[in-house]
Amino acid sequence: MPMPKLTIAIAQMAIAFGQPAYNRAKVKKFVTQAAKQQADIVVFPELWDTGYDLIRFNEIADLEGTTAQQLLAQLAQQYHIYILGGSVAVAHDGRFYNTTYVFDDQGQLLSTYRKVHLFGLMHEDQYLQAGNQMSHFTVKTVPATNVICYDIRFPEWLRKLSAAGSKLIFVPAEWPEQRTQQWLQLLAARAIENQSFVVGVNRVGDDPDNHFAGHSVIYDPLGNVLSELDDTEALKTVTIDLNQITRIRGEIPVFADRRPDLY
């Protein structure tokens, strides 16, 4: 069965540190712009609401994710666009989670994902709780998944997600400039080994401890770059042809050739 083409909007945001209201206003503008460009889905970076203002999560984290969910649902319904809401800081039962919400073009919640691997170098393990569930949803009939930033350093996690049927991997991130080359190489590897399109959306700008250089990127299932942004705030739309996956997986059937009896 032929698969659809998808037009993906990458929202490469400069996030205001610890200013959720300001960042929410910026998200609205990006969604409006993506809808005008007839995108099927718009994708935001990690912790777009607060940035890594971890020590103030008691003050600024979104209680039960209610504010983010209401905003994203309303925008998705208004503009008839899928939204992968990067991730936001969510307070739940006295703990904090780095959480992605995905909404369909009718404003219905499709997926909630809590970051599984916490990044000690940015002190996540001191302030956040790790998730333990996979993310699976469809974008216009296309099976998809998402992880968050540091998760891409764990290929076994993405293989498990892909083996469950995903053909499209979304990766919102706050990836510092000094490791930009690793960001690009890891995403390319995840695309090649899982024979999937990979959409990596990184932030730009600064917080008190880091500079973020963007380089949001889309890879095809062969690891070819379809689009890569620079280090400035921007929104870019790219149309991908999902039928490429069927051809590539047919030529090199890595999923059929796996040895789950061994690993």
Side-chain angles (χ1 to χ4, degrees):
M1 180 179 177
M3 300 192 71
K5 292 184 178 181
L6 287 179
T7 300
I8 299 169
I10 297 171
Q12 184 168 277
M13 266 178 76
I15 296 167
F17 187 70
Q19 299 181 52
Y22 179 89
N23 293 320
R24 285 193 286 268
K26 186 173 285 190
V27 163
K28 291 181 183 179
K29 292 179 181 178
F30 271 122
V31 174
T32 302
Q33 186 179 352
K36 287 180 179 178
Q37 296 183 22
Q38 298 184 315
D40 295 305
I41 184 169
V42 57
V43 188
F44 288 92
E46 178 184 18
L47 291 178
W48 60 258
D49 58 341
T50 63
Y52 267 83
D53 193 359
L54 303 178
I55 64 172
R56 294 180 59 234
F57 273 7
N58 276 321
E59 304 169 43
I60 61 177
D62 190 350
L63 182 61
E64 302 298 337
T66 301
T67 302
Q69 289 185 61
Q70 289 177 345
L71 172 67
L72 298 176
Q74 184 269 321
L75 291 170
Q77 184 179 44
Q78 178 181 354
Y79 291 104
H80 303 294
I81 188 172
Y82 285 73
I83 300 177
L84 191 136
S87 74
V88 294
V90 173
H92 171 73
D93 285 346
R95 297 180 176 184
F96 304 109
Y97 296 87
N98 188 341
T99 306
T100 300
Y101 296 117
V102 184
F103 288 86
D104 71 11
D105 55 1
Q106 302 301 310
Q108 298 299 308
L109 180 64
L110 297 180
S111 174
T112 299
Y113 174 75
R114 293 170 169 173
K115 189 173 185 180
V116 167
H117 301 94
L118 300 181
F119 189 47
L121 280 180
M122 291 177 72
H123 311 298
E124 280 189 318
D125 56 335
Q126 298 176 33
Y127 296 93
L128 291 163
Q129 296 295 312
N132 57 16
Q133 299 292 325
M134 294 190 292
S135 168
H136 288 298
F137 53 94
T138 58
V139 181
K140 300 193 104 175
T141 74
V142 179
T145 188
N146 86 278
V147 295
I148 300 174
C149 201
Y150 188 48
D151 284 330
I152 64 171
R153 289 186 180 270
F154 300 87
E156 62 273 30
W157 181 232
L158 279 89
R159 173 66 92 196
K160 184 172 183 176
L161 294 165
S162 297
S166 172
K167 294 180 171 61
L168 183 56
I169 300 169
F170 294 98
V171 188
E174 290 205 31
W175 199 281
E177 178 187 36
Q178 65 267 31
R179 293 185 289 277
T180 296
Q181 196 58 37
Q182 295 172 32
W183 159 253
L184 296 171
Q185 290 174 338
L186 287 165
L187 290 172
R190 302 296 84 85
I192 294 166
E193 69 199 11
N194 293 302
Q195 298 176 320
S196 296
F197 286 91
V198 170
V199 180
V201 181
N202 195 23
R203 66 162 291 185
V204 293
D206 298 279
D207 69 16
D209 299 312
N210 300 282
H211 177 67
F212 301 93
H215 287 274
S216 299
V217 64
I218 298 179
Y219 287 100
D220 75 8
L222 294 175
N224 299 311
V225 175
L226 299 182
S227 178
E228 182 181 343
L229 298 182
D230 58 15
D231 61 353
T232 58
E233 185 172 75
L235 184 130
K236 177 72 177 292
T237 56
V238 179
T239 299
I240 63 173
D241 184 358
L242 277 299
N243 291 301
Q244 187 179 0
I245 293 174
T246 303
R247 177 177 59 79
I248 291 168
R249 290 187 178 183
E251 292 173 354
I252 308 175
V254 295
F255 289 97
D257 292 340
R258 290 172 65 235
R259 289 290 307 278
D261 56 316
L262 296 179
Y263 55 83

